[in-house]
Amino acid sequence: MKKQITAKIYVIGFFILLLSITSIITGCTKNTEPISRTGFYFDTVIRITLYDTEDDSVLDGCFALAEKYENLFSATKEGTDVWNINHASGEAVTVSEETAALLVTAVDFANTTEGRIDPTIRPVSALWDFGSEGKAHLPEDTDIKEALSHVSYDTIRFGVGQSEETGEPVYNTVTLQDPEAAIDLGFIAKGYIADKMKEYLLSQGVESACISLGGNVITIGEKPDGSPFRIGIQEPFAPEGTALDTVEIRDTSVVTSGIYERYFYEGDTLYHHVLDTSTGYPVDNELASVTIICESSTKADALSTSCLCMGLEKGRQYLDRAKVEYLLITKDGTQYRSENFPVTH
């Protein structure tokens, strides 16, 4: 009798082992290779990598979102919500609920930074060209001063309508009281789009993914083997892809803004794309780059640019109040980190 019981235990154990092996094999072969796609929107390379699905249609959905939001938020593409606002000569423009909501968020950040970032910077940013060598140029000082006189988020007014989905009151019209004012959402739009792509992927059952929009990275979960995603932080002014540090993250966002991303030299002077709302020229302080880690890519995008505009000390105080993890790199290479910033070397 004792032998029979032992035999039964062995048989049961064998089947448990067999089921375990089958489960492991099934889990590993569900997606042996991640699927990925790259595109170009908002003057930015977008790369989306999915680790737990082989369904290409999910990638189709992501890039459909990229096109949708470019057609809402682009300041240079004719017919977008932002383009229509900028060319309405001070008249009210009906926009999507998402455009109005993002613009409300942008104005909130302008308020909290006392105008260091401002969604009406477009009259000034339109003067600057940080493109390929030969096209980049320094605008005339008189033109900058004239454009700067039209930069004020106080000129933005919102009108209330009814949501098509819920019937609730929502902002759905935007008016620029200064007809020469214009909107540029470049400091926040990519973060918002990254958040929306993550939201979409989660709705499709994706549990492991990495979304990259230039300096904006947001992840879903962790890698299939349980390890975190490793994200390199660009060394300022080094060749693209040169990582100064690496962070390990799970299910959160990493956003870096830097003065090395788009720039040109005229004589010995560096001119970069982050503009000072008080002068119309590139911000000039100790900082070369700002990296933010937090759950919301929208928030991280706006905070990184805000800090870059504020400078080292005011920027650190602002980020400490925002309760996010950060890494600030000065022009001389000195690093300043929040207490729990997860750097690995």
Side-chain angles (χ1 to χ4, degrees), residues 102-119 153 187-188 296-304 306 310 318 322:
L102 181 59
L103 192 49
V104 167
T105 302
V107 170
D108 286 344
F109 276 105
N111 267 312
T112 61
T113 62
E114 298 179 343
R116 294 298 185 94
I117 54 174
D118 191 319
Y153 61 92
F187 72 91
I188 197 171
S296 166
S297 191
T298 306
K299 181 178 179 180
D301 203 3
L303 289 178
S304 61
S306 300
M310 290 178 171
Y318 179 66

PDB file of all heavy atoms in Angstrom, residues 102-119 153 187-188 296-304 306 310 318 322:
ATOM      1  N   LEU A 102      -6.259  70.321 -23.445  1.00  0.00           N
ATOM      2  CA  LEU A 102      -4.801  70.418 -23.392  1.00  0.00           C
ATOM      3  C   LEU A 102      -4.370  71.872 -23.273  1.00  0.00           C
ATOM      4  O   LEU A 102      -3.420  72.190 -22.543  1.00  0.00           O
ATOM      5  CB  LEU A 102      -4.173  69.773 -24.633  1.00  0.00           C
ATOM      6  CG  LEU A 102      -2.647  69.787 -24.669  1.00  0.00           C
ATOM      7  CD1 LEU A 102      -2.057  69.062 -23.458  1.00  0.00           C
ATOM      8  CD2 LEU A 102      -2.124  69.162 -25.963  1.00  0.00           C
ATOM      9  N   LEU A 103      -5.077  72.752 -23.950  1.00  0.00           N
ATOM     10  CA  LEU A 103      -4.735  74.165 -23.859  1.00  0.00           C
ATOM     11  C   LEU A 103      -5.014  74.711 -22.456  1.00  0.00           C
ATOM     12  O   LEU A 103      -4.248  75.537 -21.935  1.00  0.00           O
ATOM     13  CB  LEU A 103      -5.514  74.952 -24.911  1.00  0.00           C
ATOM     14  CG  LEU A 103      -5.091  76.396 -25.172  1.00  0.00           C
ATOM     15  CD1 LEU A 103      -3.584  76.504 -25.391  1.00  0.00           C
ATOM     16  CD2 LEU A 103      -5.848  76.945 -26.368  1.00  0.00           C
ATOM     17  N   VAL A 104      -6.071  74.240 -21.821  1.00  0.00           N
ATOM     18  CA  VAL A 104      -6.339  74.621 -20.428  1.00  0.00           C
ATOM     19  C   VAL A 104      -5.182  74.169 -19.530  1.00  0.00           C
ATOM     20  O   VAL A 104      -4.709  74.924 -18.663  1.00  0.00           O
ATOM     21  CB  VAL A 104      -7.664  74.005 -19.933  1.00  0.00           C
ATOM     22  CG1 VAL A 104      -7.788  74.132 -18.420  1.00  0.00           C
ATOM     23  CG2 VAL A 104      -8.851  74.681 -20.613  1.00  0.00           C
ATOM     24  N   THR A 105      -4.704  72.940 -19.749  1.00  0.00           N
ATOM     25  CA  THR A 105      -3.563  72.434 -18.971  1.00  0.00           C
ATOM     26  C   THR A 105      -2.319  73.274 -19.225  1.00  0.00           C
ATOM     27  O   THR A 105      -1.565  73.593 -18.288  1.00  0.00           O
ATOM     28  CB  THR A 105      -3.284  70.966 -19.334  1.00  0.00           C
ATOM     29  OG1 THR A 105      -4.450  70.185 -19.076  1.00  0.00           O
ATOM     30  CG2 THR A 105      -2.127  70.410 -18.515  1.00  0.00           C
ATOM     31  N   ALA A 106      -2.100  73.642 -20.485  1.00  0.00           N
ATOM     32  CA  ALA A 106      -0.939  74.466 -20.829  1.00  0.00           C
ATOM     33  C   ALA A 106      -1.002  75.820 -20.126  1.00  0.00           C
ATOM     34  O   ALA A 106       0.010  76.331 -19.620  1.00  0.00           O
ATOM     35  CB  ALA A 106      -0.867  74.656 -22.341  1.00  0.00           C
ATOM     36  N   VAL A 107      -2.184  76.412 -20.067  1.00  0.00           N
ATOM     37  CA  VAL A 107      -2.356  77.688 -19.379  1.00  0.00           C
ATOM     38  C   VAL A 107      -2.117  77.529 -17.870  1.00  0.00           C
ATOM     39  O   VAL A 107      -1.517  78.407 -17.228  1.00  0.00           O
ATOM     40  CB  VAL A 107      -3.761  78.266 -19.653  1.00  0.00           C
ATOM     41  CG1 VAL A 107      -4.053  79.459 -18.748  1.00  0.00           C
ATOM     42  CG2 VAL A 107      -3.890  78.672 -21.116  1.00  0.00           C
ATOM     43  N   ASP A 108      -2.546  76.407 -17.315  1.00  0.00           N
ATOM     44  CA  ASP A 108      -2.287  76.145 -15.894  1.00  0.00           C
ATOM     45  C   ASP A 108      -0.784  76.125 -15.611  1.00  0.00           C
ATOM     46  O   ASP A 108      -0.326  76.692 -14.602  1.00  0.00           O
ATOM     47  CB  ASP A 108      -2.904  74.810 -15.479  1.00  0.00           C
ATOM     48  CG  ASP A 108      -4.419  74.880 -15.344  1.00  0.00           C
ATOM     49  OD1 ASP A 108      -4.958  76.003 -15.263  1.00  0.00           O
ATOM     50  OD2 ASP A 108      -5.062  73.810 -15.337  1.00  0.00           O
ATOM     51  N   PHE A 109      -0.010  75.475 -16.477  1.00  0.00           N
ATOM     52  CA  PHE A 109       1.447  75.451 -16.282  1.00  0.00           C
ATOM     53  C   PHE A 109       2.040  76.845 -16.472  1.00  0.00           C
ATOM     54  O   PHE A 109       2.998  77.219 -15.778  1.00  0.00           O
ATOM     55  CB  PHE A 109       2.104  74.454 -17.231  1.00  0.00           C
ATOM     56  CG  PHE A 109       2.083  73.044 -16.716  1.00  0.00           C
ATOM     57  CD1 PHE A 109       1.207  72.116 -17.247  1.00  0.00           C
ATOM     58  CD2 PHE A 109       2.931  72.640 -15.696  1.00  0.00           C
ATOM     59  CE1 PHE A 109       1.172  70.808 -16.767  1.00  0.00           C
ATOM     60  CE2 PHE A 109       2.908  71.348 -15.210  1.00  0.00           C
ATOM     61  CZ  PHE A 109       2.023  70.426 -15.750  1.00  0.00           C
ATOM     62  N   ALA A 110       1.498  77.621 -17.406  1.00  0.00           N
ATOM     63  CA  ALA A 110       1.967  78.994 -17.571  1.00  0.00           C
ATOM     64  C   ALA A 110       1.735  79.793 -16.291  1.00  0.00           C
ATOM     65  O   ALA A 110       2.588  80.586 -15.868  1.00  0.00           O
ATOM     66  CB  ALA A 110       1.247  79.650 -18.756  1.00  0.00           C
ATOM     67  N   ASN A 111       0.590  79.561 -15.658  1.00  0.00           N
ATOM     68  CA  ASN A 111       0.290  80.233 -14.392  1.00  0.00           C
ATOM     69  C   ASN A 111       1.274  79.844 -13.296  1.00  0.00           C
ATOM     70  O   ASN A 111       1.808  80.703 -12.585  1.00  0.00           O
ATOM     71  CB  ASN A 111      -1.134  79.891 -13.945  1.00  0.00           C
ATOM     72  CG  ASN A 111      -2.158  80.903 -14.410  1.00  0.00           C
ATOM     73  OD1 ASN A 111      -1.964  82.101 -14.258  1.00  0.00           O
ATOM     74  ND2 ASN A 111      -3.239  80.419 -14.983  1.00  0.00           N
ATOM     75  N   THR A 112       1.504  78.533 -13.135  1.00  0.00           N
ATOM     76  CA  THR A 112       2.361  78.072 -12.037  1.00  0.00           C
ATOM     77  C   THR A 112       3.816  78.460 -12.240  1.00  0.00           C
ATOM     78  O   THR A 112       4.576  78.520 -11.267  1.00  0.00           O
ATOM     79  CB  THR A 112       2.271  76.549 -11.850  1.00  0.00           C
ATOM     80  OG1 THR A 112       2.709  75.887 -13.044  1.00  0.00           O
ATOM     81  CG2 THR A 112       0.852  76.118 -11.528  1.00  0.00           C
ATOM     82  N   THR A 113       4.215  78.736 -13.477  1.00  0.00           N
ATOM     83  CA  THR A 113       5.603  79.151 -13.742  1.00  0.00           C
ATOM     84  C   THR A 113       5.727  80.657 -13.912  1.00  0.00           C
ATOM     85  O   THR A 113       6.790  81.151 -14.280  1.00  0.00           O
ATOM     86  CB  THR A 113       6.133  78.467 -15.021  1.00  0.00           C
ATOM     87  OG1 THR A 113       5.343  78.881 -16.146  1.00  0.00           O
ATOM     88  CG2 THR A 113       6.101  76.962 -14.905  1.00  0.00           C
ATOM     89  N   GLU A 114       4.643  81.372 -13.652  1.00  0.00           N
ATOM     90  CA  GLU A 114       4.613  82.828 -13.799  1.00  0.00           C
ATOM     91  C   GLU A 114       5.038  83.239 -15.208  1.00  0.00           C
ATOM     92  O   GLU A 114       5.763  84.217 -15.406  1.00  0.00           O
ATOM     93  CB  GLU A 114       5.493  83.501 -12.741  1.00  0.00           C
ATOM     94  CG  GLU A 114       5.023  83.219 -11.322  1.00  0.00           C
ATOM     95  CD  GLU A 114       5.894  83.868 -10.269  1.00  0.00           C
ATOM     96  OE1 GLU A 114       7.035  84.256 -10.607  1.00  0.00           O
ATOM     97  OE2 GLU A 114       5.445  83.997  -9.122  1.00  0.00           O
ATOM     98  N   GLY A 115       4.588  82.452 -16.180  1.00  0.00           N
ATOM     99  CA  GLY A 115       4.822  82.794 -17.573  1.00  0.00           C
ATOM    100  C   GLY A 115       6.174  82.373 -18.129  1.00  0.00           C
ATOM    101  O   GLY A 115       6.514  82.722 -19.267  1.00  0.00           O
ATOM    102  N   ARG A 116       6.963  81.609 -17.373  1.00  0.00           N
ATOM    103  CA  ARG A 116       8.253  81.135 -17.905  1.00  0.00           C
ATOM    104  C   ARG A 116       8.031  80.233 -19.126  1.00  0.00           C
ATOM    105  O   ARG A 116       8.875  80.202 -20.027  1.00  0.00           O
ATOM    106  CB  ARG A 116       9.040  80.383 -16.830  1.00  0.00           C
ATOM    107  CG  ARG A 116       9.493  81.248 -15.676  1.00  0.00           C
ATOM    108  CD  ARG A 116      10.456  82.350 -16.129  1.00  0.00           C
ATOM    109  NE  ARG A 116      10.967  83.103 -15.007  1.00  0.00           N
ATOM    110  CZ  ARG A 116      12.112  82.843 -14.391  1.00  0.00           C
ATOM    111  NH1 ARG A 116      12.861  81.824 -14.800  1.00  0.00           N
ATOM    112  NH2 ARG A 116      12.499  83.584 -13.375  1.00  0.00           N
ATOM    113  N   ILE A 117       6.951  79.467 -19.101  1.00  0.00           N
ATOM    114  CA  ILE A 117       6.497  78.810 -20.322  1.00  0.00           C
ATOM    115  C   ILE A 117       5.127  79.395 -20.655  1.00  0.00           C
ATOM    116  O   ILE A 117       4.360  79.742 -19.756  1.00  0.00           O
ATOM    117  CB  ILE A 117       6.420  77.274 -20.197  1.00  0.00           C
ATOM    118  CG1 ILE A 117       5.560  76.845 -19.009  1.00  0.00           C
ATOM    119  CG2 ILE A 117       7.794  76.666 -20.118  1.00  0.00           C
ATOM    120  CD1 ILE A 117       5.333  75.355 -18.943  1.00  0.00           C
ATOM    121  N   ASP A 118       4.851  79.527 -21.948  1.00  0.00           N
ATOM    122  CA  ASP A 118       3.634  80.220 -22.362  1.00  0.00           C
ATOM    123  C   ASP A 118       3.173  79.655 -23.698  1.00  0.00           C
ATOM    124  O   ASP A 118       3.933  79.663 -24.667  1.00  0.00           O
ATOM    125  CB  ASP A 118       3.920  81.721 -22.499  1.00  0.00           C
ATOM    126  CG  ASP A 118       2.659  82.557 -22.656  1.00  0.00           C
ATOM    127  OD1 ASP A 118       1.747  82.116 -23.383  1.00  0.00           O
ATOM    128  OD2 ASP A 118       2.597  83.658 -22.079  1.00  0.00           O
ATOM    129  N   PRO A 119       1.937  79.136 -23.755  1.00  0.00           N
ATOM    130  CA  PRO A 119       1.468  78.557 -25.011  1.00  0.00           C
ATOM    131  C   PRO A 119       1.298  79.572 -26.140  1.00  0.00           C
ATOM    132  O   PRO A 119       1.128  79.182 -27.298  1.00  0.00           O
ATOM    133  CB  PRO A 119       0.120  77.932 -24.629  1.00  0.00           C
ATOM    134  CG  PRO A 119      -0.304  78.636 -23.394  1.00  0.00           C
ATOM    135  CD  PRO A 119       0.954  78.992 -22.669  1.00  0.00           C
ATOM    136  N   TYR A 153      -0.367  84.555 -22.187  1.00  0.00           N
ATOM    137  CA  TYR A 153      -1.435  83.560 -22.074  1.00  0.00           C
ATOM    138  C   TYR A 153      -2.735  84.163 -21.566  1.00  0.00           C
ATOM    139  O   TYR A 153      -3.800  83.550 -21.673  1.00  0.00           O
ATOM    140  CB  TYR A 153      -0.988  82.392 -21.193  1.00  0.00           C
ATOM    141  CG  TYR A 153      -0.632  82.743 -19.773  1.00  0.00           C
ATOM    142  CD1 TYR A 153      -1.577  82.689 -18.765  1.00  0.00           C
ATOM    143  CD2 TYR A 153       0.667  83.124 -19.437  1.00  0.00           C
ATOM    144  CE1 TYR A 153      -1.256  83.006 -17.454  1.00  0.00           C
ATOM    145  CE2 TYR A 153       1.003  83.442 -18.132  1.00  0.00           C
ATOM    146  CZ  TYR A 153       0.044  83.389 -17.142  1.00  0.00           C
ATOM    147  OH  TYR A 153       0.371  83.708 -15.850  1.00  0.00           O
ATOM    148  N   PHE A 187       5.719  72.473 -25.967  1.00  0.00           N
ATOM    149  CA  PHE A 187       6.292  72.106 -24.672  1.00  0.00           C
ATOM    150  C   PHE A 187       5.473  71.049 -23.928  1.00  0.00           C
ATOM    151  O   PHE A 187       5.894  70.584 -22.876  1.00  0.00           O
ATOM    152  CB  PHE A 187       6.452  73.351 -23.785  1.00  0.00           C
ATOM    153  CG  PHE A 187       5.164  73.910 -23.251  1.00  0.00           C
ATOM    154  CD1 PHE A 187       4.646  73.500 -22.037  1.00  0.00           C
ATOM    155  CD2 PHE A 187       4.465  74.869 -23.979  1.00  0.00           C
ATOM    156  CE1 PHE A 187       3.460  74.030 -21.547  1.00  0.00           C
ATOM    157  CE2 PHE A 187       3.281  75.399 -23.495  1.00  0.00           C
ATOM    158  CZ  PHE A 187       2.774  74.981 -22.280  1.00  0.00           C
ATOM    159  N   ILE A 188       4.313  70.648 -24.491  1.00  0.00           N
ATOM    160  CA  ILE A 188       3.443  69.737 -23.748  1.00  0.00           C
ATOM    161  C   ILE A 188       2.767  68.686 -24.621  1.00  0.00           C
ATOM    162  O   ILE A 188       2.331  67.638 -24.130  1.00  0.00           O
ATOM    163  CB  ILE A 188       2.377  70.561 -22.989  1.00  0.00           C
ATOM    164  CG1 ILE A 188       1.708  69.743 -21.889  1.00  0.00           C
ATOM    165  CG2 ILE A 188       1.349  71.154 -23.963  1.00  0.00           C
ATOM    166  CD1 ILE A 188       0.811  70.580 -20.979  1.00  0.00           C
ATOM    167  N   SER A 296       2.806  60.646 -15.321  1.00  0.00           N
ATOM    168  CA  SER A 296       2.195  61.383 -16.427  1.00  0.00           C
ATOM    169  C   SER A 296       3.257  61.956 -17.338  1.00  0.00           C
ATOM    170  O   SER A 296       4.076  62.784 -16.921  1.00  0.00           O
ATOM    171  CB  SER A 296       1.312  62.513 -15.893  1.00  0.00           C
ATOM    172  OG  SER A 296       0.975  63.421 -16.918  1.00  0.00           O
ATOM    173  N   SER A 297       3.231  61.560 -18.613  1.00  0.00           N
ATOM    174  CA  SER A 297       4.174  62.117 -19.575  1.00  0.00           C
ATOM    175  C   SER A 297       3.831  63.569 -19.891  1.00  0.00           C
ATOM    176  O   SER A 297       4.717  64.374 -20.175  1.00  0.00           O
ATOM    177  CB  SER A 297       4.174  61.280 -20.851  1.00  0.00           C
ATOM    178  OG  SER A 297       5.253  61.634 -21.693  1.00  0.00           O
ATOM    179  N   THR A 298       2.544  63.910 -19.847  1.00  0.00           N
ATOM    180  CA  THR A 298       2.130  65.300 -20.050  1.00  0.00           C
ATOM    181  C   THR A 298       2.779  66.204 -19.008  1.00  0.00           C
ATOM    182  O   THR A 298       3.373  67.240 -19.334  1.00  0.00           O
ATOM    183  CB  THR A 298       0.593  65.423 -19.940  1.00  0.00           C
ATOM    184  OG1 THR A 298      -0.026  64.506 -20.838  1.00  0.00           O
ATOM    185  CG2 THR A 298       0.138  66.835 -20.263  1.00  0.00           C
ATOM    186  N   LYS A 299       2.683  65.799 -17.768  1.00  0.00           N
ATOM    187  CA  LYS A 299       3.266  66.567 -16.669  1.00  0.00           C
ATOM    188  C   LYS A 299       4.779  66.623 -16.796  1.00  0.00           C
ATOM    189  O   LYS A 299       5.380  67.698 -16.638  1.00  0.00           O
ATOM    190  CB  LYS A 299       2.862  65.929 -15.342  1.00  0.00           C
ATOM    191  CG  LYS A 299       3.384  66.642 -14.108  1.00  0.00           C
ATOM    192  CD  LYS A 299       2.881  65.940 -12.839  1.00  0.00           C
ATOM    193  CE  LYS A 299       3.402  66.603 -11.576  1.00  0.00           C
ATOM    194  NZ  LYS A 299       2.909  65.917 -10.349  1.00  0.00           N
ATOM    195  N   ALA A 300       5.397  65.486 -17.087  1.00  0.00           N
ATOM    196  CA  ALA A 300       6.862  65.441 -17.199  1.00  0.00           C
ATOM    197  C   ALA A 300       7.355  66.334 -18.323  1.00  0.00           C
ATOM    198  O   ALA A 300       8.392  67.007 -18.196  1.00  0.00           O
ATOM    199  CB  ALA A 300       7.319  64.004 -17.420  1.00  0.00           C
ATOM    200  N   ASP A 301       6.630  66.357 -19.438  1.00  0.00           N
ATOM    201  CA  ASP A 301       7.009  67.184 -20.581  1.00  0.00           C
ATOM    202  C   ASP A 301       7.001  68.657 -20.197  1.00  0.00           C
ATOM    203  O   ASP A 301       7.975  69.395 -20.432  1.00  0.00           O
ATOM    204  CB  ASP A 301       6.034  66.925 -21.730  1.00  0.00           C
ATOM    205  CG  ASP A 301       6.604  67.272 -23.094  1.00  0.00           C
ATOM    206  OD1 ASP A 301       7.780  67.656 -23.176  1.00  0.00           O
ATOM    207  OD2 ASP A 301       5.863  67.140 -24.091  1.00  0.00           O
ATOM    208  N   ALA A 302       5.906  69.107 -19.598  1.00  0.00           N
ATOM    209  CA  ALA A 302       5.796  70.513 -19.216  1.00  0.00           C
ATOM    210  C   ALA A 302       6.798  70.886 -18.119  1.00  0.00           C
ATOM    211  O   ALA A 302       7.408  71.964 -18.158  1.00  0.00           O
ATOM    212  CB  ALA A 302       4.370  70.814 -18.761  1.00  0.00           C
ATOM    213  N   LEU A 303       6.990  70.001 -17.154  1.00  0.00           N
ATOM    214  CA  LEU A 303       7.909  70.295 -16.053  1.00  0.00           C
ATOM    215  C   LEU A 303       9.360  70.391 -16.526  1.00  0.00           C
ATOM    216  O   LEU A 303      10.119  71.238 -16.046  1.00  0.00           O
ATOM    217  CB  LEU A 303       7.796  69.234 -14.959  1.00  0.00           C
ATOM    218  CG  LEU A 303       6.523  69.227 -14.120  1.00  0.00           C
ATOM    219  CD1 LEU A 303       6.562  68.082 -13.115  1.00  0.00           C
ATOM    220  CD2 LEU A 303       6.330  70.557 -13.402  1.00  0.00           C
ATOM    221  N   SER A 304       9.745  69.520 -17.439  1.00  0.00           N
ATOM    222  CA  SER A 304      11.139  69.535 -17.897  1.00  0.00           C
ATOM    223  C   SER A 304      11.469  70.844 -18.606  1.00  0.00           C
ATOM    224  O   SER A 304      12.521  71.445 -18.383  1.00  0.00           O
ATOM    225  CB  SER A 304      11.415  68.343 -18.809  1.00  0.00           C
ATOM    226  OG  SER A 304      10.602  68.377 -19.966  1.00  0.00           O
ATOM    227  N   SER A 306       9.781  73.684 -18.210  1.00  0.00           N
ATOM    228  CA  SER A 306       9.655  74.747 -17.209  1.00  0.00           C
ATOM    229  C   SER A 306      10.947  74.913 -16.421  1.00  0.00           C
ATOM    230  O   SER A 306      11.445  76.031 -16.232  1.00  0.00           O
ATOM    231  CB  SER A 306       8.509  74.445 -16.249  1.00  0.00           C
ATOM    232  OG  SER A 306       7.285  74.349 -16.915  1.00  0.00           O
ATOM    233  N   MET A 310      13.652  78.008 -15.994  1.00  0.00           N
ATOM    234  CA  MET A 310      13.830  78.662 -14.694  1.00  0.00           C
ATOM    235  C   MET A 310      15.287  78.732 -14.248  1.00  0.00           C
ATOM    236  O   MET A 310      15.670  79.631 -13.498  1.00  0.00           O
ATOM    237  CB  MET A 310      13.034  77.920 -13.624  1.00  0.00           C
ATOM    238  CG  MET A 310      11.541  78.075 -13.759  1.00  0.00           C
ATOM    239  SD  MET A 310      10.703  77.102 -12.465  1.00  0.00           S
ATOM    240  CE  MET A 310       9.022  77.664 -12.681  1.00  0.00           C
ATOM    241  N   TYR A 318      11.053  74.303  -7.804  1.00  0.00           N
ATOM    242  CA  TYR A 318       9.781  74.050  -8.498  1.00  0.00           C
ATOM    243  C   TYR A 318       9.517  72.557  -8.611  1.00  0.00           C
ATOM    244  O   TYR A 318       8.405  72.077  -8.349  1.00  0.00           O
ATOM    245  CB  TYR A 318       9.852  74.695  -9.881  1.00  0.00           C
ATOM    246  CG  TYR A 318       8.622  74.513 -10.746  1.00  0.00           C
ATOM    247  CD1 TYR A 318       7.405  75.095 -10.396  1.00  0.00           C
ATOM    248  CD2 TYR A 318       8.692  73.793 -11.934  1.00  0.00           C
ATOM    249  CE1 TYR A 318       6.285  74.955 -11.196  1.00  0.00           C
ATOM    250  CE2 TYR A 318       7.572  73.645 -12.740  1.00  0.00           C
ATOM    251  CZ  TYR A 318       6.369  74.235 -12.368  1.00  0.00           C
ATOM    252  OH  TYR A 318       5.265  74.085 -13.168  1.00  0.00           O
ATOM    253  N   ALA A 322       6.683  69.938  -6.991  1.00  0.00           N
ATOM    254  CA  ALA A 322       5.871  69.080  -7.861  1.00  0.00           C
ATOM    255  C   ALA A 322       5.963  67.605  -7.469  1.00  0.00           C
ATOM    256  O   ALA A 322       5.200  66.784  -7.976  1.00  0.00           O
ATOM    257  CB  ALA A 322       6.311  69.253  -9.316  1.00  0.00           C
TER     258      ALA A 322
END
